[in-house]
Amino acid sequence: MKQPKKTTVYTLSEAAKKLGISRQGVHEAIKKGLLEAHKANITKTIVQVTRGWIIHADALDKYQVSDSHIIRGKKT
């Protein structure tokens, strides 16, 4: 039997790091509808579950970061 393909998902912070912009930049893109994301429960530890944004890898691949966003949001 074929195993279902696992989908890679990113938190807001992980997406920001992958895109090379700030967390605020990712959040703005979500709010403007430029980056597809949804709210979900995120397990941080066995006893700690929080609610946060989940972004699928294919959505990150489709998102085009603007030059000004990179300049404003680049973390060093």
PDB file of all heavy atoms in Angstrom, residues 7-28:
ATOM      1  N   THR A   7       3.017  16.574   3.673  1.00  0.00           N
ATOM      2  CA  THR A   7       3.105  17.945   3.203  1.00  0.00           C
ATOM      3  C   THR A   7       3.981  18.735   4.161  1.00  0.00           C
ATOM      4  O   THR A   7       3.773  18.691   5.372  1.00  0.00           O
ATOM      5  CB  THR A   7       1.709  18.593   3.145  1.00  0.00           C
ATOM      6  OG1 THR A   7       0.873  17.789   2.325  1.00  0.00           O
ATOM      7  CG2 THR A   7       1.774  19.984   2.580  1.00  0.00           C
ATOM      8  N   THR A   8       4.950  19.447   3.619  1.00  0.00           N
ATOM      9  CA  THR A   8       5.802  20.288   4.448  1.00  0.00           C
ATOM     10  C   THR A   8       5.075  21.589   4.742  1.00  0.00           C
ATOM     11  O   THR A   8       4.552  22.234   3.833  1.00  0.00           O
ATOM     12  CB  THR A   8       7.134  20.591   3.729  1.00  0.00           C
ATOM     13  OG1 THR A   8       7.778  19.355   3.427  1.00  0.00           O
ATOM     14  CG2 THR A   8       8.045  21.437   4.597  1.00  0.00           C
ATOM     15  N   VAL A   9       5.039  21.948   6.018  1.00  0.00           N
ATOM     16  CA  VAL A   9       4.417  23.206   6.427  1.00  0.00           C
ATOM     17  C   VAL A   9       5.410  23.999   7.271  1.00  0.00           C
ATOM     18  O   VAL A   9       6.320  23.443   7.876  1.00  0.00           O
ATOM     19  CB  VAL A   9       3.106  22.983   7.222  1.00  0.00           C
ATOM     20  CG1 VAL A   9       2.035  22.381   6.345  1.00  0.00           C
ATOM     21  CG2 VAL A   9       3.335  22.151   8.450  1.00  0.00           C
ATOM     22  N   TYR A  10       5.214  25.305   7.282  1.00  0.00           N
ATOM     23  CA  TYR A  10       6.097  26.213   8.009  1.00  0.00           C
ATOM     24  C   TYR A  10       5.280  27.101   8.933  1.00  0.00           C
ATOM     25  O   TYR A  10       4.160  27.490   8.607  1.00  0.00           O
ATOM     26  CB  TYR A  10       6.872  27.101   7.037  1.00  0.00           C
ATOM     27  CG  TYR A  10       7.794  26.342   6.133  1.00  0.00           C
ATOM     28  CD1 TYR A  10       7.377  25.913   4.869  1.00  0.00           C
ATOM     29  CD2 TYR A  10       9.082  26.030   6.526  1.00  0.00           C
ATOM     30  CE1 TYR A  10       8.221  25.207   4.034  1.00  0.00           C
ATOM     31  CE2 TYR A  10       9.939  25.317   5.696  1.00  0.00           C
ATOM     32  CZ  TYR A  10       9.500  24.920   4.452  1.00  0.00           C
ATOM     33  OH  TYR A  10      10.341  24.204   3.633  1.00  0.00           O
ATOM     34  N   THR A  11       5.862  27.450  10.061  1.00  0.00           N
ATOM     35  CA  THR A  11       5.275  28.462  10.932  1.00  0.00           C
ATOM     36  C   THR A  11       5.642  29.819  10.361  1.00  0.00           C
ATOM     37  O   THR A  11       6.443  29.928   9.414  1.00  0.00           O
ATOM     38  CB  THR A  11       5.825  28.354  12.365  1.00  0.00           C
ATOM     39  OG1 THR A  11       7.234  28.618  12.338  1.00  0.00           O
ATOM     40  CG2 THR A  11       5.549  26.997  12.978  1.00  0.00           C
ATOM     41  N   LEU A  12       5.100  30.871  10.938  1.00  0.00           N
ATOM     42  CA  LEU A  12       5.399  32.229  10.498  1.00  0.00           C
ATOM     43  C   LEU A  12       6.905  32.510  10.567  1.00  0.00           C
ATOM     44  O   LEU A  12       7.499  33.022   9.616  1.00  0.00           O
ATOM     45  CB  LEU A  12       4.626  33.220  11.370  1.00  0.00           C
ATOM     46  CG  LEU A  12       4.463  34.620  10.846  1.00  0.00           C
ATOM     47  CD1 LEU A  12       3.528  34.650   9.662  1.00  0.00           C
ATOM     48  CD2 LEU A  12       3.927  35.519  11.935  1.00  0.00           C
ATOM     49  N   SER A  13       7.528  32.129  11.672  1.00  0.00           N
ATOM     50  CA  SER A  13       8.964  32.367  11.845  1.00  0.00           C
ATOM     51  C   SER A  13       9.798  31.561  10.856  1.00  0.00           C
ATOM     52  O   SER A  13      10.772  32.063  10.290  1.00  0.00           O
ATOM     53  CB  SER A  13       9.393  32.016  13.272  1.00  0.00           C
ATOM     54  OG  SER A  13       8.778  32.877  14.191  1.00  0.00           O
ATOM     55  N   GLU A  14       9.427  30.305  10.649  1.00  0.00           N
ATOM     56  CA  GLU A  14      10.163  29.456   9.709  1.00  0.00           C
ATOM     57  C   GLU A  14      10.028  29.973   8.281  1.00  0.00           C
ATOM     58  O   GLU A  14      11.006  29.981   7.524  1.00  0.00           O
ATOM     59  CB  GLU A  14       9.649  28.017   9.786  1.00  0.00           C
ATOM     60  CG  GLU A  14       9.958  27.328  11.095  1.00  0.00           C
ATOM     61  CD  GLU A  14       9.193  26.041  11.287  1.00  0.00           C
ATOM     62  OE1 GLU A  14       8.143  25.829  10.630  1.00  0.00           O
ATOM     63  OE2 GLU A  14       9.658  25.217  12.118  1.00  0.00           O
ATOM     64  N   ALA A  15       8.829  30.437   7.932  1.00  0.00           N
ATOM     65  CA  ALA A  15       8.604  30.989   6.591  1.00  0.00           C
ATOM     66  C   ALA A  15       9.431  32.256   6.392  1.00  0.00           C
ATOM     67  O   ALA A  15      10.030  32.464   5.331  1.00  0.00           O
ATOM     68  CB  ALA A  15       7.127  31.277   6.374  1.00  0.00           C
ATOM     69  N   ALA A  16       9.489  33.100   7.415  1.00  0.00           N
ATOM     70  CA  ALA A  16      10.271  34.335   7.331  1.00  0.00           C
ATOM     71  C   ALA A  16      11.742  34.017   7.092  1.00  0.00           C
ATOM     72  O   ALA A  16      12.395  34.633   6.237  1.00  0.00           O
ATOM     73  CB  ALA A  16      10.104  35.148   8.611  1.00  0.00           C
ATOM     74  N   LYS A  17      12.247  33.045   7.809  1.00  0.00           N
ATOM     75  CA  LYS A  17      13.647  32.656   7.655  1.00  0.00           C
ATOM     76  C   LYS A  17      13.910  32.102   6.253  1.00  0.00           C
ATOM     77  O   LYS A  17      14.885  32.462   5.605  1.00  0.00           O
ATOM     78  CB  LYS A  17      14.014  31.620   8.718  1.00  0.00           C
ATOM     79  CG  LYS A  17      15.476  31.294   8.773  1.00  0.00           C
ATOM     80  CD  LYS A  17      15.791  30.415   9.963  1.00  0.00           C
ATOM     81  CE  LYS A  17      17.292  30.199  10.052  1.00  0.00           C
ATOM     82  NZ  LYS A  17      17.669  29.455  11.246  1.00  0.00           N
ATOM     83  N   LYS A  18      12.998  31.257   5.782  1.00  0.00           N
ATOM     84  CA  LYS A  18      13.157  30.657   4.459  1.00  0.00           C
ATOM     85  C   LYS A  18      13.099  31.714   3.362  1.00  0.00           C
ATOM     86  O   LYS A  18      13.840  31.645   2.384  1.00  0.00           O
ATOM     87  CB  LYS A  18      12.084  29.598   4.234  1.00  0.00           C
ATOM     88  CG  LYS A  18      12.225  28.850   2.920  1.00  0.00           C
ATOM     89  CD  LYS A  18      11.388  27.605   2.923  1.00  0.00           C
ATOM     90  CE  LYS A  18      11.341  26.889   1.595  1.00  0.00           C
ATOM     91  NZ  LYS A  18      12.616  26.518   1.033  1.00  0.00           N
ATOM     92  N   LEU A  19      12.218  32.713   3.514  1.00  0.00           N
ATOM     93  CA  LEU A  19      12.066  33.762   2.507  1.00  0.00           C
ATOM     94  C   LEU A  19      13.116  34.866   2.638  1.00  0.00           C
ATOM     95  O   LEU A  19      13.296  35.662   1.725  1.00  0.00           O
ATOM     96  CB  LEU A  19      10.669  34.374   2.593  1.00  0.00           C
ATOM     97  CG  LEU A  19       9.509  33.464   2.202  1.00  0.00           C
ATOM     98  CD1 LEU A  19       8.178  34.138   2.533  1.00  0.00           C
ATOM     99  CD2 LEU A  19       9.583  33.114   0.716  1.00  0.00           C
ATOM    100  N   GLY A  20      13.764  34.945   3.795  1.00  0.00           N
ATOM    101  CA  GLY A  20      14.773  35.981   4.019  1.00  0.00           C
ATOM    102  C   GLY A  20      14.187  37.334   4.346  1.00  0.00           C
ATOM    103  O   GLY A  20      14.790  38.364   4.065  1.00  0.00           O
ATOM    104  N   ILE A  21      12.988  37.332   4.929  1.00  0.00           N
ATOM    105  CA  ILE A  21      12.344  38.587   5.324  1.00  0.00           C
ATOM    106  C   ILE A  21      11.893  38.465   6.772  1.00  0.00           C
ATOM    107  O   ILE A  21      12.018  37.410   7.390  1.00  0.00           O
ATOM    108  CB  ILE A  21      11.144  38.939   4.406  1.00  0.00           C
ATOM    109  CG1 ILE A  21      10.049  37.861   4.472  1.00  0.00           C
ATOM    110  CG2 ILE A  21      11.614  39.158   2.976  1.00  0.00           C
ATOM    111  CD1 ILE A  21       8.797  38.198   3.681  1.00  0.00           C
ATOM    112  N   SER A  22      11.355  39.547   7.319  1.00  0.00           N
ATOM    113  CA  SER A  22      10.925  39.544   8.716  1.00  0.00           C
ATOM    114  C   SER A  22       9.609  38.790   8.896  1.00  0.00           C
ATOM    115  O   SER A  22       8.868  38.562   7.932  1.00  0.00           O
ATOM    116  CB  SER A  22      10.750  40.983   9.207  1.00  0.00           C
ATOM    117  OG  SER A  22       9.656  41.592   8.544  1.00  0.00           O
ATOM    118  N   ARG A  23       9.316  38.438  10.139  1.00  0.00           N
ATOM    119  CA  ARG A  23       8.033  37.814  10.467  1.00  0.00           C
ATOM    120  C   ARG A  23       6.897  38.761  10.107  1.00  0.00           C
ATOM    121  O   ARG A  23       5.858  38.340   9.609  1.00  0.00           O
ATOM    122  CB  ARG A  23       7.959  37.484  11.969  1.00  0.00           C
ATOM    123  CG  ARG A  23       8.883  36.387  12.403  1.00  0.00           C
ATOM    124  CD  ARG A  23       8.797  36.114  13.908  1.00  0.00           C
ATOM    125  NE  ARG A  23       7.551  35.418  14.212  1.00  0.00           N
ATOM    126  CZ  ARG A  23       6.535  35.946  14.907  1.00  0.00           C
ATOM    127  NH1 ARG A  23       6.632  37.139  15.413  1.00  0.00           N
ATOM    128  NH2 ARG A  23       5.447  35.258  15.123  1.00  0.00           N
ATOM    129  N   GLN A  24       7.091  40.058  10.373  1.00  0.00           N
ATOM    130  CA  GLN A  24       6.081  41.068  10.049  1.00  0.00           C
ATOM    131  C   GLN A  24       5.833  41.108   8.544  1.00  0.00           C
ATOM    132  O   GLN A  24       4.701  41.246   8.098  1.00  0.00           O
ATOM    133  CB  GLN A  24       6.507  42.457  10.547  1.00  0.00           C
ATOM    134  CG  GLN A  24       5.487  43.534  10.270  1.00  0.00           C
ATOM    135  CD  GLN A  24       4.161  43.294  10.967  1.00  0.00           C
ATOM    136  OE1 GLN A  24       4.120  42.718  12.055  1.00  0.00           O
ATOM    137  NE2 GLN A  24       3.086  43.710  10.352  1.00  0.00           N
ATOM    138  N   GLY A  25       6.890  40.959   7.761  1.00  0.00           N
ATOM    139  CA  GLY A  25       6.741  40.941   6.304  1.00  0.00           C
ATOM    140  C   GLY A  25       5.895  39.765   5.829  1.00  0.00           C
ATOM    141  O   GLY A  25       5.055  39.903   4.939  1.00  0.00           O
ATOM    142  N   VAL A  26       6.101  38.614   6.441  1.00  0.00           N
ATOM    143  CA  VAL A  26       5.306  37.432   6.103  1.00  0.00           C
ATOM    144  C   VAL A  26       3.857  37.660   6.513  1.00  0.00           C
ATOM    145  O   VAL A  26       2.928  37.387   5.756  1.00  0.00           O
ATOM    146  CB  VAL A  26       5.865  36.160   6.779  1.00  0.00           C
ATOM    147  CG1 VAL A  26       4.959  34.971   6.533  1.00  0.00           C
ATOM    148  CG2 VAL A  26       7.270  35.863   6.281  1.00  0.00           C
ATOM    149  N   HIS A  27       3.657  38.199   7.704  1.00  0.00           N
ATOM    150  CA  HIS A  27       2.308  38.456   8.198  1.00  0.00           C
ATOM    151  C   HIS A  27       1.575  39.448   7.292  1.00  0.00           C
ATOM    152  O   HIS A  27       0.393  39.270   6.989  1.00  0.00           O
ATOM    153  CB  HIS A  27       2.356  38.966   9.645  1.00  0.00           C
ATOM    154  CG  HIS A  27       1.034  38.940  10.316  1.00  0.00           C
ATOM    155  ND1 HIS A  27       0.316  40.070  10.558  1.00  0.00           N
ATOM    156  CD2 HIS A  27       0.284  37.904  10.775  1.00  0.00           C
ATOM    157  CE1 HIS A  27      -0.824  39.755  11.136  1.00  0.00           C
ATOM    158  NE2 HIS A  27      -0.853  38.438  11.290  1.00  0.00           N
ATOM    159  N   GLU A  28       2.253  40.498   6.843  1.00  0.00           N
ATOM    160  CA  GLU A  28       1.653  41.470   5.926  1.00  0.00           C
ATOM    161  C   GLU A  28       1.236  40.804   4.620  1.00  0.00           C
ATOM    162  O   GLU A  28       0.163  41.085   4.086  1.00  0.00           O
ATOM    163  CB  GLU A  28       2.639  42.603   5.629  1.00  0.00           C
ATOM    164  CG  GLU A  28       2.812  43.577   6.760  1.00  0.00           C
ATOM    165  CD  GLU A  28       3.858  44.640   6.453  1.00  0.00           C
ATOM    166  OE1 GLU A  28       4.160  44.879   5.268  1.00  0.00           O
ATOM    167  OE2 GLU A  28       4.376  45.221   7.409  1.00  0.00           O
TER     168      GLU A  28
END
